[in-house]
Amino acid sequence: MEVSNKYIRFDWAVKRMLRDKANFAVLEGLITVLTGEQVTIAEILESEGNQENAVDKFNRVDIKAKNERGDIIIVEVQLTRQLYYLQRMLYGVSKAITEHIEIGNKYDKVKKVYSINILYFDLGQGSDYLYHGKTVFTGVHTGDQLKVNTREADEIKMTVPEDVFPEYYIIRVNEFNDVARTPIEEWLDYLKNNRIKDDTSTPGLKEARQRLLYMTMTDEERKAYDAHMDDIMVQNDVLDTAKMEGRAEGRAEGRAEGKIEMAKNLKSLGVDVRTIMQASGLSEDQIGRL
């Protein structure tokens, strides 16, 4: 397979390379650019999102890390459409919170979680490529924001809910079509096009230029990476073709019939049931009866 860019795709790097402590700086840079504060990763935590089965090998990959403050950071890359993705984000954050507090601990041991979601599919309506969500409590009548008294080291401090509750970042990669001028735009250019400026000073991308070069991979790594890229290209082509045929069928016979025809096409091509469900919106039982 001919590779036109010399930098390794981010989803592959997350799965194979960024778990190495020597490469933490790449991920730290992305998180620093998003949050606006310097982030240092202390350790990579166990994550269940990196199975090497037929569905997960290119659809989804994630990494879970802890910073020096003990905050949990979840970075997830999703390549194809996922039904109920917002619910999954919430579930992932909730699970991370409960996994990192032991029974009997005081609630002050609950860790803040940052959920960073890098999406290569259209999540819904919205013209921006970056969305940020956090929790604030606003007075219904006064409009002021609530602050809460907390005691730390025998000292009373004021805490705002956003310091405790999870924060969410949604990066809609396909919506980025601008020239990369700012640090976050440079990151989007890399995430979408695998491009990094030669003179970049953006946190994380400086390190990526040195450590995520395609030509520095071993022959075995390069072979596996090329196969991964081929899988993505084939799947995207199959899904795009099926969607076009489904839309045409839907115009002729109705929305439901179009979905069924799409699912039949995918099934005949040997696409796995999970991907068919994502593309068509049909249930596993419906697909099984086709």
Short mmCIF file of all heavy atoms in Angstrom, two decimals, residues 198-255:
data_model
loop_
_atom_site.label_atom_id
_atom_site.label_comp_id
_atom_site.label_asym_id
_atom_site.label_seq_id
_atom_site.Cartn_x
_atom_site.Cartn_y
_atom_site.Cartn_z
N ASP A 198 6.45 21.31 9.71
CA ASP A 198 7.86 21.08 10.02
C ASP A 198 8.34 21.96 11.16
O ASP A 198 9.21 21.57 11.94
CB ASP A 198 8.72 21.34 8.78
CG ASP A 198 8.51 20.28 7.70
OD1 ASP A 198 8.01 19.19 8.04
OD2 ASP A 198 8.85 20.56 6.54
N ASP A 199 7.80 23.18 11.26
CA ASP A 199 8.26 24.12 12.27
C ASP A 199 7.29 24.24 13.44
O ASP A 199 7.29 25.22 14.16
CB ASP A 199 8.46 25.50 11.65
CG ASP A 199 7.16 26.07 11.05
OD1 ASP A 199 6.18 25.29 10.90
OD2 ASP A 199 7.14 27.27 10.72
N THR A 200 6.45 23.22 13.65
CA THR A 200 5.43 23.32 14.69
C THR A 200 6.04 23.46 16.08
O THR A 200 7.09 22.87 16.38
CB THR A 200 4.51 22.07 14.68
OG1 THR A 200 3.47 22.27 15.63
CG2 THR A 200 5.28 20.81 15.03
N SER A 201 5.40 24.26 16.91
CA SER A 201 5.77 24.37 18.32
C SER A 201 4.61 23.93 19.21
O SER A 201 4.65 24.14 20.42
CB SER A 201 6.17 25.81 18.65
OG SER A 201 5.07 26.70 18.39
N THR A 202 3.58 23.35 18.59
CA THR A 202 2.40 22.93 19.32
C THR A 202 2.71 21.75 20.24
O THR A 202 3.33 20.77 19.79
CB THR A 202 1.28 22.53 18.34
OG1 THR A 202 0.87 23.71 17.63
CG2 THR A 202 0.10 21.93 19.06
N PRO A 203 2.31 21.81 21.51
CA PRO A 203 2.57 20.70 22.44
C PRO A 203 2.06 19.38 21.89
O PRO A 203 0.95 19.28 21.38
CB PRO A 203 1.78 21.12 23.69
CG PRO A 203 1.75 22.61 23.64
CD PRO A 203 1.63 22.94 22.18
N GLY A 204 2.89 18.38 21.97
CA GLY A 204 2.53 17.04 21.50
C GLY A 204 2.92 16.79 20.06
O GLY A 204 3.40 15.70 19.73
N LEU A 205 2.71 17.76 19.20
CA LEU A 205 3.04 17.56 17.79
C LEU A 205 4.54 17.66 17.53
O LEU A 205 5.05 17.03 16.61
CB LEU A 205 2.29 18.58 16.93
CG LEU A 205 0.76 18.41 16.90
CD1 LEU A 205 0.12 19.43 15.97
CD2 LEU A 205 0.37 16.99 16.47
N LYS A 206 5.23 18.42 18.35
CA LYS A 206 6.70 18.44 18.23
C LYS A 206 7.24 17.03 18.45
O LYS A 206 8.11 16.55 17.71
CB LYS A 206 7.29 19.41 19.26
CG LYS A 206 6.92 20.86 19.06
CD LYS A 206 7.60 21.73 20.10
CE LYS A 206 7.13 21.38 21.52
NZ LYS A 206 7.74 22.27 22.54
N GLU A 207 6.73 16.38 19.49
CA GLU A 207 7.17 15.03 19.81
C GLU A 207 6.68 14.02 18.78
O GLU A 207 7.38 13.07 18.44
CB GLU A 207 6.69 14.63 21.21
CG GLU A 207 7.29 15.44 22.35
CD GLU A 207 6.71 16.83 22.52
OE1 GLU A 207 5.68 17.13 21.87
OE2 GLU A 207 7.28 17.63 23.28
N ALA A 208 5.47 14.25 18.26
CA ALA A 208 4.91 13.33 17.26
C ALA A 208 5.76 13.32 15.99
O ALA A 208 5.92 12.27 15.35
CB ALA A 208 3.47 13.72 16.94
N ARG A 209 6.32 14.47 15.63
CA ARG A 209 7.15 14.54 14.43
C ARG A 209 8.37 13.62 14.55
O ARG A 209 8.87 13.09 13.57
CB ARG A 209 7.64 15.98 14.19
CG ARG A 209 6.57 16.92 13.68
CD ARG A 209 7.18 18.21 13.16
NE ARG A 209 7.96 17.98 11.96
CZ ARG A 209 9.27 18.12 11.87
NH1 ARG A 209 9.98 18.49 12.93
NH2 ARG A 209 9.91 17.90 10.74
N GLN A 210 8.85 13.43 15.76
CA GLN A 210 10.03 12.60 15.98
C GLN A 210 9.68 11.13 16.20
O GLN A 210 10.44 10.24 15.81
CB GLN A 210 10.80 13.12 17.19
CG GLN A 210 11.26 14.56 17.05
CD GLN A 210 11.84 15.10 18.36
OE1 GLN A 210 11.80 14.43 19.38
NE2 GLN A 210 12.37 16.31 18.31
N ARG A 211 8.51 10.87 16.80
CA ARG A 211 8.23 9.52 17.28
C ARG A 211 7.16 8.78 16.50
O ARG A 211 7.01 7.57 16.68
CB ARG A 211 7.83 9.59 18.76
CG ARG A 211 8.93 10.19 19.62
CD ARG A 211 8.49 10.49 21.01
NE ARG A 211 9.55 11.20 21.74
CZ ARG A 211 9.42 11.68 22.98
NH1 ARG A 211 8.29 11.51 23.62
NH2 ARG A 211 10.42 12.31 23.56
N LEU A 212 6.42 9.48 15.67
CA LEU A 212 5.35 8.83 14.92
C LEU A 212 5.62 8.84 13.42
O LEU A 212 4.71 8.95 12.60
CB LEU A 212 4.00 9.51 15.22
CG LEU A 212 3.57 9.53 16.68
CD1 LEU A 212 2.18 10.12 16.82
CD2 LEU A 212 3.63 8.14 17.31
N LEU A 213 6.85 8.71 13.07
CA LEU A 213 7.23 8.66 11.66
C LEU A 213 7.01 7.25 11.11
O LEU A 213 7.43 6.25 11.70
CB LEU A 213 8.71 9.02 11.49
CG LEU A 213 9.06 10.51 11.59
CD1 LEU A 213 10.57 10.68 11.67
CD2 LEU A 213 8.51 11.27 10.41
N TYR A 214 6.35 7.19 9.97
CA TYR A 214 6.08 5.89 9.33
C TYR A 214 7.37 5.14 9.03
O TYR A 214 7.47 3.92 9.26
CB TYR A 214 5.29 6.14 8.04
CG TYR A 214 5.03 4.91 7.22
CD1 TYR A 214 3.99 4.04 7.54
CD2 TYR A 214 5.81 4.62 6.11
CE1 TYR A 214 3.74 2.91 6.79
CE2 TYR A 214 5.58 3.49 5.34
CZ TYR A 214 4.54 2.64 5.69
OH TYR A 214 4.31 1.52 4.94
N MET A 215 8.36 5.84 8.56
CA MET A 215 9.58 5.17 8.10
C MET A 215 10.44 4.65 9.26
O MET A 215 11.37 3.89 9.04
CB MET A 215 10.41 6.12 7.24
CG MET A 215 9.74 6.50 5.94
SD MET A 215 9.18 5.06 4.96
CE MET A 215 10.75 4.26 4.63
N THR A 216 10.14 5.05 10.50
CA THR A 216 10.91 4.54 11.62
C THR A 216 10.35 3.23 12.17
O THR A 216 10.96 2.64 13.06
CB THR A 216 10.95 5.57 12.77
OG1 THR A 216 9.61 5.80 13.25
CG2 THR A 216 11.55 6.88 12.30
N MET A 217 9.22 2.78 11.64
CA MET A 217 8.64 1.53 12.10
C MET A 217 9.44 0.35 11.56
O MET A 217 10.07 0.44 10.50
CB MET A 217 7.17 1.44 11.63
CG MET A 217 6.28 2.49 12.26
SD MET A 217 4.69 2.73 11.41
CE MET A 217 3.93 1.15 11.58
N THR A 218 9.37 -0.75 12.29
CA THR A 218 10.01 -1.98 11.80
C THR A 218 9.18 -2.53 10.64
O THR A 218 8.02 -2.13 10.43
CB THR A 218 10.09 -3.03 12.90
OG1 THR A 218 8.76 -3.43 13.27
CG2 THR A 218 10.81 -2.48 14.13
N ASP A 219 9.73 -3.46 9.90
CA ASP A 219 9.00 -4.07 8.79
C ASP A 219 7.71 -4.71 9.28
O ASP A 219 6.66 -4.62 8.63
CB ASP A 219 9.87 -5.11 8.09
CG ASP A 219 11.03 -4.47 7.31
OD1 ASP A 219 10.94 -3.26 7.03
OD2 ASP A 219 11.98 -5.19 6.99
N GLU A 220 7.78 -5.37 10.43
CA GLU A 220 6.59 -6.03 10.98
C GLU A 220 5.53 -5.01 11.38
O GLU A 220 4.34 -5.18 11.09
CB GLU A 220 6.98 -6.88 12.19
CG GLU A 220 5.81 -7.67 12.78
CD GLU A 220 6.25 -8.54 13.94
OE1 GLU A 220 7.46 -8.58 14.25
OE2 GLU A 220 5.38 -9.20 14.54
N GLU A 221 5.95 -3.92 12.03
CA GLU A 221 5.02 -2.87 12.42
C GLU A 221 4.39 -2.21 11.20
O GLU A 221 3.19 -1.93 11.17
CB GLU A 221 5.75 -1.82 13.26
CG GLU A 221 6.15 -2.28 14.64
CD GLU A 221 7.03 -1.27 15.35
OE1 GLU A 221 7.71 -0.47 14.65
OE2 GLU A 221 7.06 -1.28 16.58
N ARG A 222 5.22 -1.96 10.18
CA ARG A 222 4.72 -1.31 8.97
C ARG A 222 3.71 -2.19 8.25
O ARG A 222 2.70 -1.71 7.74
CB ARG A 222 5.90 -0.96 8.06
CG ARG A 222 5.53 0.04 6.95
CD ARG A 222 6.75 0.40 6.13
NE ARG A 222 7.74 1.08 6.92
CZ ARG A 222 8.98 0.65 7.12
NH1 ARG A 222 9.39 -0.46 6.54
NH2 ARG A 222 9.83 1.34 7.85
N LYS A 223 3.94 -3.49 8.22
CA LYS A 223 3.01 -4.42 7.59
C LYS A 223 1.67 -4.42 8.32
O LYS A 223 0.61 -4.39 7.69
CB LYS A 223 3.62 -5.83 7.58
CG LYS A 223 2.75 -6.86 6.88
CD LYS A 223 3.44 -8.22 6.84
CE LYS A 223 2.55 -9.25 6.15
NZ LYS A 223 3.20 -10.60 6.12
N ALA A 224 1.72 -4.45 9.64
CA ALA A 224 0.48 -4.43 10.43
C ALA A 224 -0.25 -3.10 10.26
O ALA A 224 -1.49 -3.06 10.16
CB ALA A 224 0.79 -4.67 11.91
N TYR A 225 0.50 -2.01 10.21
CA TYR A 225 -0.11 -0.69 10.04
C TYR A 225 -0.76 -0.57 8.67
O TYR A 225 -1.88 -0.05 8.54
CB TYR A 225 0.97 0.39 10.21
CG TYR A 225 0.46 1.80 9.99
CD1 TYR A 225 -0.35 2.42 10.92
CD2 TYR A 225 0.82 2.51 8.84
CE1 TYR A 225 -0.80 3.71 10.72
CE2 TYR A 225 0.38 3.80 8.63
CZ TYR A 225 -0.43 4.41 9.59
OH TYR A 225 -0.88 5.68 9.39
N ASP A 226 -0.10 -1.04 7.63
CA ASP A 226 -0.67 -0.99 6.29
C ASP A 226 -1.96 -1.80 6.21
O ASP A 226 -2.93 -1.39 5.56
CB ASP A 226 0.33 -1.53 5.27
CG ASP A 226 1.50 -0.58 5.03
OD1 ASP A 226 1.40 0.58 5.47
OD2 ASP A 226 2.50 -1.00 4.42
N ALA A 227 -1.98 -2.96 6.88
CA ALA A 227 -3.19 -3.77 6.90
C ALA A 227 -4.32 -3.04 7.62
O ALA A 227 -5.48 -3.09 7.20
CB ALA A 227 -2.91 -5.12 7.59
N HIS A 228 -3.98 -2.33 8.68
CA HIS A 228 -4.96 -1.53 9.42
C HIS A 228 -5.56 -0.45 8.52
O HIS A 228 -6.78 -0.25 8.48
CB HIS A 228 -4.28 -0.90 10.63
CG HIS A 228 -5.10 0.11 11.36
ND1 HIS A 228 -6.16 -0.22 12.18
CD2 HIS A 228 -5.00 1.46 11.42
CE1 HIS A 228 -6.68 0.87 12.70
NE2 HIS A 228 -6.00 1.91 12.24
N MET A 229 -4.71 0.25 7.77
CA MET A 229 -5.19 1.29 6.87
C MET A 229 -6.06 0.72 5.75
O MET A 229 -7.07 1.31 5.36
CB MET A 229 -3.99 2.04 6.28
CG MET A 229 -3.18 2.83 7.31
SD MET A 229 -4.14 4.12 8.11
CE MET A 229 -4.45 5.22 6.73
N ASP A 230 -5.67 -0.45 5.25
CA ASP A 230 -6.49 -1.11 4.22
C ASP A 230 -7.86 -1.47 4.77
O ASP A 230 -8.88 -1.32 4.09
CB ASP A 230 -5.79 -2.37 3.72
CG ASP A 230 -4.63 -2.05 2.77
OD1 ASP A 230 -4.63 -0.94 2.21
OD2 ASP A 230 -3.74 -2.90 2.61
N ASP A 231 -7.90 -1.97 6.01
CA ASP A 231 -9.18 -2.32 6.64
C ASP A 231 -10.10 -1.11 6.72
O ASP A 231 -11.30 -1.18 6.44
CB ASP A 231 -8.94 -2.86 8.06
CG ASP A 231 -8.44 -4.28 8.06
OD1 ASP A 231 -8.65 -4.99 7.06
OD2 ASP A 231 -7.83 -4.70 9.07
N ILE A 232 -9.53 0.03 7.11
CA ILE A 232 -10.32 1.26 7.23
C ILE A 232 -10.86 1.69 5.87
O ILE A 232 -12.03 2.05 5.72
CB ILE A 232 -9.48 2.39 7.86
CG1 ILE A 232 -9.21 2.06 9.33
CG2 ILE A 232 -10.19 3.73 7.74
CD1 ILE A 232 -8.26 3.04 10.00
N MET A 233 -10.01 1.66 4.85
CA MET A 233 -10.43 2.07 3.51
C MET A 233 -11.54 1.16 2.98
O MET A 233 -12.53 1.63 2.42
CB MET A 233 -9.23 2.05 2.57
CG MET A 233 -8.18 3.12 2.87
SD MET A 233 -6.70 2.93 1.86
CE MET A 233 -7.37 3.17 0.21
N VAL A 234 -11.38 -0.15 3.17
CA VAL A 234 -12.39 -1.10 2.69
C VAL A 234 -13.70 -0.89 3.43
O VAL A 234 -14.79 -0.84 2.82
CB VAL A 234 -11.90 -2.55 2.85
CG1 VAL A 234 -13.03 -3.53 2.60
CG2 VAL A 234 -10.74 -2.82 1.90
N GLN A 235 -13.63 -0.78 4.74
CA GLN A 235 -14.87 -0.61 5.50
C GLN A 235 -15.58 0.68 5.14
O GLN A 235 -16.81 0.69 4.96
CB GLN A 235 -14.58 -0.61 7.01
CG GLN A 235 -15.85 -0.31 7.83
CD GLN A 235 -15.66 -0.55 9.29
OE1 GLN A 235 -15.79 -1.67 9.76
NE2 GLN A 235 -15.36 0.49 10.04
N ASN A 236 -14.84 1.78 5.02
CA ASN A 236 -15.47 3.04 4.65
C ASN A 236 -16.12 2.96 3.28
O ASN A 236 -17.21 3.51 3.06
CB ASN A 236 -14.44 4.17 4.67
CG ASN A 236 -14.02 4.54 6.07
OD1 ASN A 236 -14.72 4.22 7.04
ND2 ASN A 236 -12.89 5.21 6.21
N ASP A 237 -15.47 2.28 2.33
CA ASP A 237 -16.03 2.12 1.00
C ASP A 237 -17.30 1.29 1.03
O ASP A 237 -18.30 1.63 0.39
CB ASP A 237 -15.00 1.48 0.07
CG ASP A 237 -15.50 1.38 -1.36
OD1 ASP A 237 -15.83 2.43 -1.95
OD2 ASP A 237 -15.60 0.26 -1.88
N VAL A 238 -17.27 0.20 1.81
CA VAL A 238 -18.46 -0.65 1.93
C VAL A 238 -19.62 0.11 2.56
O VAL A 238 -20.75 0.07 2.07
CB VAL A 238 -18.13 -1.91 2.75
CG1 VAL A 238 -19.40 -2.66 3.14
CG2 VAL A 238 -17.20 -2.83 1.98
N LEU A 239 -19.33 0.84 3.63
CA LEU A 239 -20.39 1.59 4.31
C LEU A 239 -20.95 2.70 3.42
O LEU A 239 -22.16 2.91 3.36
CB LEU A 239 -19.85 2.18 5.61
CG LEU A 239 -19.55 1.19 6.74
CD1 LEU A 239 -18.91 1.90 7.92
CD2 LEU A 239 -20.82 0.48 7.18
N ASP A 240 -20.06 3.42 2.73
CA ASP A 240 -20.53 4.49 1.85
C ASP A 240 -21.40 3.94 0.73
O ASP A 240 -22.44 4.52 0.40
CB ASP A 240 -19.33 5.24 1.25
CG ASP A 240 -18.61 6.11 2.28
OD1 ASP A 240 -19.21 6.35 3.35
OD2 ASP A 240 -17.48 6.52 2.01
N THR A 241 -20.97 2.83 0.13
CA THR A 241 -21.76 2.22 -0.94
C THR A 241 -23.11 1.75 -0.44
O THR A 241 -24.15 1.99 -1.07
CB THR A 241 -20.99 1.03 -1.56
OG1 THR A 241 -19.74 1.50 -2.08
CG2 THR A 241 -21.80 0.38 -2.66
N ALA A 242 -23.09 1.10 0.70
CA ALA A 242 -24.34 0.59 1.26
C ALA A 242 -25.29 1.73 1.62
O ALA A 242 -26.50 1.62 1.41
CB ALA A 242 -24.04 -0.27 2.50
N LYS A 243 -24.75 2.82 2.16
CA LYS A 243 -25.60 3.94 2.52
C LYS A 243 -26.23 4.57 1.29
O LYS A 243 -27.40 4.94 1.29
CB LYS A 243 -24.78 4.99 3.29
CG LYS A 243 -24.44 4.56 4.71
CD LYS A 243 -23.57 5.59 5.39
CE LYS A 243 -23.19 5.14 6.79
NZ LYS A 243 -22.30 6.11 7.46
N MET A 244 -25.45 4.71 0.21
CA MET A 244 -25.99 5.28 -1.03
C MET A 244 -27.11 4.39 -1.59
O MET A 244 -28.15 4.87 -2.00
CB MET A 244 -24.88 5.46 -2.06
CG MET A 244 -23.95 6.62 -1.76
SD MET A 244 -22.80 6.98 -3.13
CE MET A 244 -21.81 5.51 -3.14
N GLU A 245 -26.86 3.08 -1.60
CA GLU A 245 -27.88 2.16 -2.09
C GLU A 245 -29.10 2.18 -1.18
O GLU A 245 -30.24 2.10 -1.65
CB GLU A 245 -27.30 0.75 -2.19
CG GLU A 245 -26.23 0.62 -3.27
CD GLU A 245 -25.61 -0.77 -3.28
OE1 GLU A 245 -25.91 -1.56 -2.37
OE2 GLU A 245 -24.83 -1.04 -4.21
N GLY A 246 -28.85 2.28 0.11
CA GLY A 246 -29.95 2.33 1.05
C GLY A 246 -30.79 3.59 0.89
O GLY A 246 -32.02 3.54 0.96
N ARG A 247 -30.10 4.72 0.64
CA ARG A 247 -30.85 5.97 0.44
C ARG A 247 -31.69 5.90 -0.83
O ARG A 247 -32.83 6.36 -0.86
CB ARG A 247 -29.88 7.15 0.38
CG ARG A 247 -29.33 7.57 1.74
CD ARG A 247 -28.67 8.93 1.67
NE ARG A 247 -27.48 8.91 0.86
CZ ARG A 247 -26.26 8.69 1.33
NH1 ARG A 247 -26.09 8.47 2.61
NH2 ARG A 247 -25.21 8.69 0.53
N ALA A 248 -31.10 5.34 -1.89
CA ALA A 248 -31.85 5.22 -3.14
C ALA A 248 -33.06 4.31 -2.94
O ALA A 248 -34.16 4.59 -3.41
CB ALA A 248 -30.95 4.66 -4.24
N GLU A 249 -32.83 3.20 -2.28
CA GLU A 249 -33.93 2.27 -2.01
C GLU A 249 -34.98 2.92 -1.12
O GLU A 249 -36.18 2.72 -1.29
CB GLU A 249 -33.38 1.01 -1.34
CG GLU A 249 -34.40 -0.10 -1.14
CD GLU A 249 -34.83 -0.72 -2.44
OE1 GLU A 249 -34.11 -0.56 -3.45
OE2 GLU A 249 -35.91 -1.34 -2.45
N GLY A 250 -34.47 3.72 -0.15
CA GLY A 250 -35.40 4.38 0.77
C GLY A 250 -36.29 5.38 0.05
O GLY A 250 -37.47 5.51 0.37
N ARG A 251 -35.74 6.09 -0.95
CA ARG A 251 -36.56 7.04 -1.69
C ARG A 251 -37.63 6.32 -2.49
O ARG A 251 -38.73 6.83 -2.67
CB ARG A 251 -35.67 7.87 -2.62
CG ARG A 251 -34.81 8.91 -1.89
CD ARG A 251 -34.19 9.88 -2.87
NE ARG A 251 -33.26 9.22 -3.76
CZ ARG A 251 -31.97 9.10 -3.52
NH1 ARG A 251 -31.46 9.57 -2.39
NH2 ARG A 251 -31.16 8.50 -4.39
N ALA A 252 -37.31 5.14 -2.96
CA ALA A 252 -38.26 4.41 -3.79
C ALA A 252 -39.32 3.68 -2.97
O ALA A 252 -40.48 3.61 -3.36
CB ALA A 252 -37.52 3.41 -4.67
N GLU A 253 -38.93 3.10 -1.87
CA GLU A 253 -39.85 2.23 -1.14
C GLU A 253 -40.07 2.63 0.30
O GLU A 253 -40.80 1.94 1.02
CB GLU A 253 -39.31 0.78 -1.19
CG GLU A 253 -39.14 0.25 -2.59
CD GLU A 253 -38.63 -1.19 -2.59
OE1 GLU A 253 -38.71 -1.85 -1.53
OE2 GLU A 253 -38.16 -1.63 -3.63
N GLY A 254 -39.44 3.71 0.73
CA GLY A 254 -39.65 4.13 2.10
C GLY A 254 -38.42 3.90 2.95
O GLY A 254 -37.56 3.10 2.63
N ARG A 255 -38.36 4.62 4.05
CA ARG A 255 -37.19 4.62 4.92
C ARG A 255 -36.88 3.22 5.47
O ARG A 255 -35.73 2.78 5.45
CB ARG A 255 -37.42 5.60 6.08
CG ARG A 255 -36.23 5.76 6.99
CD ARG A 255 -36.54 6.78 8.07
NE ARG A 255 -35.41 6.98 8.96
CZ ARG A 255 -34.41 7.80 8.73
NH1 ARG A 255 -34.40 8.52 7.63
NH2 ARG A 255 -33.43 7.93 9.59
#
